[in-house]
Amino acid sequence: MHKYIVYAAYGWLTFTGVMHFVVDVVSQHLRGKHVPSTETTLYYGLHSAFALGQFVFGLLGLWLAWRALDMLEELPVVTMSVVAAVGWLAIAVLFMEYWQPKFNAAIFGVLVVTAALTGRR
């Protein structure tokens, strides 16, 4: 069960990172939703960095789960994952007006904590 929860947590993070980038950056750019300005540059930069961070961290977690699943039970790795989830949640709450990034970060946090609890021996 632990293995599936770990894959679900990091798979969810990878998937939501890609979808966040597609919906909030690519889609809005192609539709011309924002006029060129400094605010638009900051908007695209924030959402691009947020999504790329989730995608890369999720891929790293999936790779670790594939190569060394036992390593994801170690306290430093669990702590780093929880800190990352809290960081993404804080950025989403403070700087993003949409509820979806907040929800996605919260789900990742719950999955990481669940994986940590199921991995304890």
Side-chain angles (χ1 to χ4, degrees):
M1 181 69 148
H2 170 70
K3 177 173 114 175
Y4 299 118
I5 295 173
V6 168
Y7 278 111
Y10 293 104
W12 175 259
L13 192 63
T14 304
F15 174 73
T16 59
V18 169
M19 293 310 297
H20 184 96
F21 184 76
V22 167
V23 170
D24 279 342
V25 178
V26 175
S27 171
Q28 291 193 19
H29 176 71
L30 292 177
R31 290 184 293 150
K33 184 104 169 150
H34 300 282
V35 296
S37 68
T38 304
E39 183 179 326
T40 300
T41 302
L42 292 173
Y43 176 87
Y44 287 141
L46 171 70
H47 287 276
S48 296
F50 187 86
L52 181 64
Q54 286 185 329
F55 176 72
V56 170
F57 196 82
L59 277 182
L60 176 65
L62 287 173
W63 182 76
L64 272 175
W66 177 57
R67 300 291 286 177
L69 184 62
D70 295 339
M71 186 177 206
L72 292 171
E73 297 172 8
E74 299 294 326
L75 185 62
V77 177
V78 172
T79 303
M80 186 177 8
S81 295
V82 170
V83 167
V86 169
W88 282 311
L89 190 58
I91 289 169
V93 167
L94 293 174
F95 300 109
M96 296 180 181
E97 63 268 6
Y98 307 117
W99 63 269
Q100 291 90 345
K102 300 168 191 160
F103 184 70
N104 291 336
I107 287 177
F108 173 67
V110 167
L111 285 170
V112 165
V113 169
T114 304
L117 294 175
T118 60
R120 299 193 69 167
R121 295 176 190 175

